[in-house]
Amino acid sequence: MDDIAKTLPQKGPASSEIADWIRDQIRTSRFVPGQRLIEVDIIRKTGGSRFKVREALQRLSAEGLVEIEENRGASVREASMSEIRQLYRSRAALESICAGDFARDASPTEKAELQAIAEEMESCLEDGAPERFGSLNAKWHAMIMPVTGNTVIAGIVRRLNTPVHHLLFETFYRGNRMRDAVNDHRLILSAIIEGDVEGAEKAMRQHVENGLQFLTSLDKALHRE
C-alpha cells in the first residue's frame, strides 16, 4: 500500500479524503495524464467503498482534474496550454494578494520560517535535487497563504496548483528554472521581511508570470516541427 494511503483512516474514509488521496497521486505523478483510474484499485488502496470512490471521482471531475466518460470510466484529465495560461493568471492574482497580506501581517517568527524554507531551496541548487526543490517550493507558497487568514484563497490555489506543475511537464524544475525561481523568491522574501506590501505583491505576481513564460517556451520547444 502506498505511503499516502496509509495516512487514511483504516475504516471507511470519506469521499473527500479519497479525493485528497487521488489528488496527491496526480500531484506526485503516480497517476499521469490520460491514465485510467480503476475503481477496484482505488478501493483496495484506500479502503473506501465503491460509492465513496465514485463520489470522490465526481468531485475531482467538477474540479476539472478527472474526466469521466460513459462506458469508459474515469481518467486523469490532460490540461491544455490554454487552460494552463488561465490557471496561471488566476494564481498570479490570488497569490500576489496573499504575499502582500503576509508582508503586512505575518509575525517575525513566521517570516523567519519562510526564510528558512527559502534557504533549504537554495541548497537544492548545489545538490541538484529538483524533486526536493519542488516539494519545498510547494511548502513555501502554501505557508504564505493561510497565515494571514486567507484560507479560502489557499483552498482555491491548492486546487489550481494540481494540474499546473506536472500534467504537461515533468521537467519544470530542471536547469535554469530552479535558479530563476530562487532569484524570484529572494525578491519576494526581501519585500516581505521589509513589510513592503506593494513590493511583495508585485514580486509574487512577476514570479508566477515567469513560471508561465517558462512553460510557454517549453511547450513551443516540445511541439516545434
Side-chain angles (χ1 to χ4, degrees):
M1 182 179 294
D2 293 340
D3 290 338
I4 296 176
K6 292 178 181 178
T7 66
L8 294 176
Q10 294 301 307
K11 295 184 179 179
S15 61
S16 60
E17 292 171 309
I18 297 172
D20 287 342
W21 181 81
I22 296 171
R23 197 181 292 110
D24 282 335
Q25 302 304 293
I26 297 172
R27 183 179 293 116
T28 55
S29 296
R30 291 183 174 90
F31 293 161
V32 299
Q35 179 177 338
R36 288 190 61 201
L37 300 174
I38 310 301
E39 289 183 6
V40 173
D41 291 343
I42 297 173
I43 290 169
R44 178 174 55 82
K45 292 180 178 180
T46 65
S49 68
R50 184 177 296 275
F51 174 78
K52 294 297 183 183
V53 168
R54 289 183 176 178
E55 197 173 62
L57 292 172
Q58 289 289 345
R59 181 191 296 262
L60 295 174
S61 175
E63 292 180 14
L65 195 56
V66 166
E67 185 173 17
I68 300 176
E69 298 180 84
E70 188 175 358
N71 299 324
R72 289 182 58 86
S75 60
V76 179
R77 186 169 171 271
E78 298 192 54
S80 67
M81 198 60 221
S82 175
E83 183 177 0
I84 292 296
R85 291 190 187 96
Q86 295 177 52
L87 293 171
Y88 262 82
R89 291 184 65 191
S90 300
R91 282 189 55 215
L94 294 171
E95 292 199 51
S96 65
I97 292 172
C98 293
D101 288 352
F102 194 95
R104 183 186 59 240
D105 300 330
S107 69
T109 298
E110 289 164 338
K111 291 180 180 181
E113 290 175 0
L114 193 69
Q115 184 170 9
I117 297 172
E119 290 172 354
E120 283 189 70
M121 293 176 68
E122 294 201 22
S123 70
C124 292
L125 289 176
E126 300 175 2
D127 300 337
E131 291 184 3
R132 176 164 172 72
F133 185 93
S135 177
L136 288 169
N137 180 72
K139 182 178 179 181
W140 193 85
H141 279 267
M143 181 180 175
I144 290 175
M145 290 177 283
V147 163
T148 53
N150 292 318
T151 54
V152 173
I153 293 179
I156 295 172
V157 172
R158 185 168 57 251
R159 290 193 294 273
L160 290 173
N161 268 333
T162 300
V164 163
H165 287 293
H166 64 281
L167 292 189
L168 289 181
F169 311 104
E170 295 181 356
T171 58
F172 190 82
Y173 289 118
R174 305 285 180 180
N176 291 333
R177 180 56 198 156
M178 285 174 61
R179 192 171 301 280
D180 291 343
V182 163
N183 291 333
D184 287 351
H185 284 184
R186 287 172 180 167
L187 294 175
I188 298 167
L189 191 59
S190 176
I192 284 175
I193 291 174
E194 292 174 7
D196 180 359
V197 174
E198 184 176 348
E201 289 180 353
K202 183 178 179 180
M204 179 63 83
R205 180 180 290 274
Q206 187 61 57
H207 172 52
V208 177
E209 290 176 354
N210 288 345
L212 176 57
Q213 289 174 11
F214 172 79
L215 287 178
T216 300
S217 63
L218 183 56
D219 179 63
K220 289 179 179 178
L222 290 173
H223 293 88
R224 184 178 298 152
E225 296 182 356

